[in-house]
């Protein structure tokens, strides 16, 4: 049996990879729909599906007025809570300088409603243990040990040695002479490791950051299992020693030295009231003398650590500063969280209404019609311009559409993504991006055919030239999508997500479907012989417009018209050539230079 050419094997391998990818995505969606309450259709955002609108009225302790800064911070906290619940494309705004309006797609569950209405809680707790979350919770690189760390087992986010006890817990009590176990030692303060019982140590070891429920308040007099707000570090914290109500003010500024010179780095300054000054002085006095990580205190907002600074000096005047790798934005964010994190606010639901999606449905219909018209125009253009190759364009667009649908549905199930009208606009724009890649590839192939290559060689050489152009073009689109997603908010992020997603899918489809299909089609008689309907007719491709109503003759036609003249010129003797003043450069009857053979016959006698 004859062995298949290498390009054919590569083509079938690429198609197999694409088929496996489609099967994997389809299988995951099927698993979600059958076993995990997923769906075969993407979830729709607020502007397309409608949802629930809550109007919340803040209730202030003592009946004081609510400032705009407090409302803005409350909006930020509510947004974090909704995002943590997996709901996307929500809208949270203030109304009349007094109320907060929360619009959520679909029908929220009771836990989401409770999370929205709960009061924020800011607490200062001492760190007992700190480490990397379990592999099931988050994947993070192993922290780099600090300079001078010993070879003892590291159990903190800084890589410092763990406590002397190997398991981080109080040793099991020894039995007394009467046979009864000795009672566990009573903790002397909030940093005492006697609080870390074997049961608490086991719970800490198995703790996952995704299991935090901010709707249930944590007891202030008991240890707390929690994580950094970004999920990179998990903590076991002691009881609350200072509350957010003890923070009088917080601000961000450029740090200065004792001589007043600027250090060029940002810091967060905290001012405590009288009660907080005394409590914080006791805390820093104790923590400063302890080893890492017990010399840290966790600042907890809604049961998540927003910062865990190290206590390096004793602070007795109530004026503390937090320094680190802050930017102006991150320093201001932390200062606002400290200043308004313990808002003396609770929320009363004034109204809960169902939002109609009538306007969104009309816009969705208009958007789909616009996308369909654009798709039809692309198909018509492809069939007119590329004939048989146009069907490759249509098939590639169908494959890209299928992949996009499966990926968006999977994101909707796993990440709570909701498809908005802006996201659909990104999908419509992707039609032009995908068609552009096909046009670049087809034109490269036709250029190679004009140069006299066979179809198989033109497919491979054209691919090498087109692939670089396609990658450069898609890299620009992907870069724009990433920048939009990182800098924008709301619906613009939905547009950026679908634009970036379809750009990546375009690269995959061109590499794993379009190119392999042309590798296989170039072996068929219909395309290899240049049928008039194939889009690869050599005569048609040779008629390239040169300007001034002149066309370059097709390669095959030019050779046939000048063949006899060239042969006659080769048969001339040297004397005849001198007499006629002729050379081997022969012009065609219409005055256009003929194509030069790749292997010209040696010219004897010159």
């Amino acid at each position: 049996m004859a062995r298949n050419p290498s390009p054919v094997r590569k083509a079938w391998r690429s198609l197999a990879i694409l088929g496996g990818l489609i099967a994997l995505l389809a299988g995951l969606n099927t698993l979600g729909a059958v076993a995990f309450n997923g769906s075969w259709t993407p979830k729709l955002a607020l502007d397309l599906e409608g949802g629930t609108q809550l109007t919340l009225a803040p209730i202030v302790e003592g009946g004081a007025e609510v400032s705009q800064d407090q409302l803005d911070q409350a909006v930020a906290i509510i947004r974090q809570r909704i995002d943590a619940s997996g709901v996307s494309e929500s809208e949270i705004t203030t109304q009349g300088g007094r109320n907060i309006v929360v619009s959520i797609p679909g029908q929220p569950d009771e836990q989401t409603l409770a999370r929205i209405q709960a009061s924020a809680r800011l607490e200062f707790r001492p760190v007992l243990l700190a480490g990397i979350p379990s592999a099931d919770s988050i994947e993070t690189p192993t922290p780099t040990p600090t300079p001078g760390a010993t070879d003892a087992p590291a159990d903190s986010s800084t890589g410092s040695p763990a406590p002397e006890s190997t398991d981080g817990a109080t040793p099991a009590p020894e039995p007394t002479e009467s046979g009864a176990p000795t009672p566990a030692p009573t903790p002397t303060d909030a940093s005492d490791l006697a609080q870390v019982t074997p049961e608490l140590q086991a719970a800490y070891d198995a703790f996952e950051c995704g299991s935090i429920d901010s709707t249930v308040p944590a007891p202030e007099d008991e240890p707390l299992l929690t994580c950094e707000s970004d999920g990179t570090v998990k903590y076991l914290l002691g009881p609350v020693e200072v509350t957010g109500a003890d923070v009088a003010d917080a601000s961000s500024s450029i740090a200065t030295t004792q001589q007043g010179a600027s250090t060029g780095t940002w810091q967060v300054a905290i001012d405590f009231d009288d009660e907080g000054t005394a409590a914080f002085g006791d805390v820093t006095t104790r923590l400063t003398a302890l080893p890492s990580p017990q010399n840290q205190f966790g600042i907890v907002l809604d049961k998540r650590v927003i910062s865990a600074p190290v206590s390096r000096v004793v602070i007795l005047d109530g004026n503390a500063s937090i320094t680190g790798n802050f930017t102006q934005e991150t320093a201001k964010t932390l200062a606002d969280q400290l200043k308004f994190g313990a808002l003396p606010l609770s929320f009363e639901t004034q109204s809960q209404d169902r939002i109609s999606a009538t306007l969104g449905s009309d816009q969705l219909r208009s958007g789909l019609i616009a996308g369909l018209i654009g798709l039809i125009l692309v198909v018509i253009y492809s069939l007119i311009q590329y004939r048989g190759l146009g069907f490759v364009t249509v098939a590639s667009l169908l494959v890209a559409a299928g992949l996009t649908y499966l990926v968006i549905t999977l994101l909707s199930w796993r990440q709570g993504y909701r498809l908005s009208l802006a996201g659909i606009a990104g999908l419509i724009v992707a039609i032009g991006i995908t068609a552009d890649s096909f046009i670049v590839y087809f034109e490269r192939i036709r250029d190679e055919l004009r140069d006299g290559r066979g179809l198989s060689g033109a497919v491979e050489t054209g691919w090498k030239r087109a692939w670089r152009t396609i990658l450069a073009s898609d890299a620009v689109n992907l870069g724009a999508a990433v920048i939009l997603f990182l800098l924008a908010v709301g619906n613009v992020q939905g547009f950026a997500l679908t634009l970036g997603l379809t750009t990546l899918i375009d690269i995959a489809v061109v590499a794993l479907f379009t190119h392999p299909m042309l590798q296989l089609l170039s072996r068929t008689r219909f395309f290899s012989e240049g049928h008039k309907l194939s889009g690869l007719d050599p005569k048609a491709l040779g008629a390239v417009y040169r300007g001034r109503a002149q066309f370059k003759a097709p390669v095959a036609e030019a050779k046939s018209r000048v063949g006899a003249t060239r042969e006659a010129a080769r048969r001339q003797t040297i004397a005849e050539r001198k007499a006629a003043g002729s050379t081997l450069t022969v012009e065609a009857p219409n005055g256009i230079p003929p194509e030069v053979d790749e292997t010209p016959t040696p010219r004897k006698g010159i």
Side-chain angles (χ1 to χ4, degrees):
M1 180 182 295
R3 188 177 181 182
N4 289 334
S6 178
V8 174
R9 293 201 307 272
K10 292 180 180 179
W12 285 114
R13 183 173 58 192
S14 298
L15 292 175
I17 293 174
L18 178 63
L21 178 61
I22 295 176
L24 175 62
L25 293 174
L28 291 175
N29 279 284
T30 302
L31 179 64
V34 173
F36 296 98
N37 198 28
S39 174
W40 269 107
T41 57
K43 297 178 182 178
L44 299 180
L46 187 66
D47 55 350
L48 299 180
E49 182 186 29
T52 302
Q53 186 178 78
L54 302 173
T55 302
L56 305 177
I59 301 176
V60 187
E61 296 178 2
E65 291 294 328
V66 181
S67 67
Q68 186 62 42
D69 288 340
Q70 288 177 318
L71 279 180
D72 292 341
Q73 185 62 23
V75 168
I77 292 173
I78 292 175
R79 180 174 287 110
Q80 291 175 358
R81 292 174 176 177
I82 294 177
D83 291 344
S85 66
V87 178
S88 62
E89 298 289 345
S90 59
E91 297 179 2
I92 304 124
T93 59
T94 59
Q95 183 183 70
R98 175 69 183 179
N99 296 334
I100 296 177
V101 179
V102 181
S103 301
I104 306 175
Q107 181 65 36
D109 54 25
E110 293 299 327
Q111 291 183 348
T112 302
L113 295 177
R115 183 180 291 110
I116 293 173
Q117 301 176 50
S119 300
R121 295 171 60 89
L122 182 70
E123 304 167 338
F124 293 75
R125 293 173 176 259
V127 175
L128 301 178
L129 299 176
I132 298 177
S134 61
D136 295 336
S137 174
I138 186 172
E139 295 182 0
T140 55
T142 303
T144 304
T146 55
T150 66
D151 294 332
D155 191 46
S156 73
S157 61
T158 58
S160 301
E164 294 181 359
S165 176
T166 56
D167 59 357
T170 304
E174 297 290 339
T176 61
E177 295 181 357
S178 62
T182 304
T186 302
T188 57
D189 52 56
S191 298
D192 194 346
L193 290 179
Q195 302 173 87
V196 188
T197 62
E199 293 79 8
L200 189 55
Q201 176 70 47
Y204 167 79
D205 293 338
F207 183 71
E208 298 182 2
C209 294
S211 61
I212 299 176
D213 185 3
S214 58
T215 62
V216 181
E220 294 187 358
D221 57 348
E222 296 181 5
L224 172 66
L225 286 170
T226 184
C227 290
E228 287 270 6
S229 56
D230 58 2
T232 56
V233 183
K234 68 177 179 179
Y235 295 95
L236 176 59
L237 305 178
V240 176
E241 296 198 282
V242 182
T243 66
D246 298 327
V247 177
D249 194 12
S251 61
S252 59
S253 62
I254 297 290
T256 58
T257 63
Q258 293 181 348
Q259 290 74 27
S262 173
T263 62
T265 59
W266 285 88
Q267 68 173 4
V268 177
I270 312 174
D271 296 331
F272 293 94
D273 59 17
D274 294 339
E275 184 177 350
T277 297
F280 196 71
D282 294 339
V283 172
T284 55
T285 300
R286 182 181 73 251
L287 297 186
T288 304
L290 294 176
S292 178
Q294 292 175 266
N295 61 349
Q296 297 176 250
F297 59 91
I299 304 176
V300 182
L301 177 62
D302 276 355
K303 295 177 69 174
R304 288 185 178 272
V305 176
I306 58 176
S307 182
V310 175
S311 178
R312 302 189 184 279
V313 295
V314 178
I315 300 174
L316 301 176
D317 61 356
N319 297 321
S321 62
I322 302 175
T323 57
N325 297 323
F326 287 121
T327 62
Q328 181 178 2
E329 182 180 356
T330 56
K332 183 181 185 303
T333 299
L334 179 58
D336 289 342
Q337 290 174 325
L338 292 171
K339 186 176 181 180
F340 304 112
L343 292 174
L345 301 177
S346 58
F347 298 99
E348 178 184 5
T349 303
Q350 286 191 335
S351 63
Q352 179 174 336
D353 303 318
R354 181 70 181 174
I355 304 175
S356 172
T358 303
L359 179 60
S361 299
D362 294 339
Q363 293 175 337
L364 175 61
R365 187 180 302 106
S366 300
L368 292 178
I369 292 175
L372 182 61
I373 292 174
L375 181 61
I376 293 174
L377 291 177
V378 169
V379 171
I380 293 175
Y381 171 80
S382 299
L383 294 178
I384 293 176
Q385 178 69 16
Y386 298 106
R387 297 175 175 82
L389 289 180
F391 290 101
V392 179
T393 300
V394 175
S396 300
L397 286 173
L398 292 177
V399 172
L403 280 173
T404 303
Y405 185 85
L406 291 174
V407 172
I408 289 180
T409 305
L410 186 62
L411 289 175
S412 181
W413 166 46
R414 294 297 302 166
Q415 302 297 327
Y417 172 74
R418 288 181 176 268
L419 185 62
S420 64
L421 188 63
I424 293 177
L427 298 179
I428 295 174
V429 171
I431 297 175
I433 296 175
T434 305
D436 179 65
S437 299
F438 304 151
I439 292 173
V440 170
Y441 184 24
F442 294 162
E443 289 300 328
R444 292 296 190 187
I445 294 175
R446 299 173 86 170
D447 287 342
E448 296 299 322
L449 292 175
R450 292 187 183 101
D451 290 340
R453 291 184 182 273
L455 180 56
S456 297
V459 168
E460 299 302 324
T461 306
W463 169 249
K464 293 178 182 178
R465 297 174 60 189
W467 180 237
R468 293 191 295 267
T469 305
I470 292 171
L471 286 180
S473 175
D474 285 344
V476 173
N477 293 326
L478 185 61
V482 171
I483 292 174
L484 278 176
F485 186 83
L486 294 178
L487 299 182
V489 294
N491 290 335
V492 180
Q493 280 189 325
F495 172 81
L497 178 63
T498 53
L499 179 63
L501 179 64
T502 50
T503 300
L504 294 175
I505 291 177
D506 171 52
I507 295 175
V509 170
V510 172
L512 299 178
F513 183 79
T514 309
H515 176 50
M517 286 300 298
L518 285 178
Q519 286 178 310
L520 298 177
L521 291 176
S522 65
R523 266 68 181 176
T524 63
R525 183 176 179 180
F526 179 77
F527 285 95
S528 63
E529 293 184 355
H531 192 278
K532 291 183 179 181
L533 298 180
S534 67
L536 300 173
D537 182 9
K539 293 184 179 181
L541 294 180
V544 180
Y545 186 72
R546 300 182 60 188
R548 297 184 182 180
Q550 294 181 359
F551 287 84
K552 177 181 177 181
V555 175
E557 183 180 350
K559 289 184 177 180
S560 63
R561 294 197 316 200
V562 304
T565 307
R566 179 176 298 181
E567 181 64 20
R570 288 174 179 172
R571 293 178 179 274
Q572 285 180 330
T573 64
I574 295 177
E576 291 172 340
R577 291 176 186 173
K578 288 182 178 181
S582 63
T583 65
L584 285 182
T585 302
V586 182
E587 291 195 356
N590 60 356
I592 301 176
E595 298 292 332
V596 180
D597 289 343
E598 294 181 0
T599 56
T601 304
R603 302 178 180 179
K604 299 181 180 180
I606 298 179

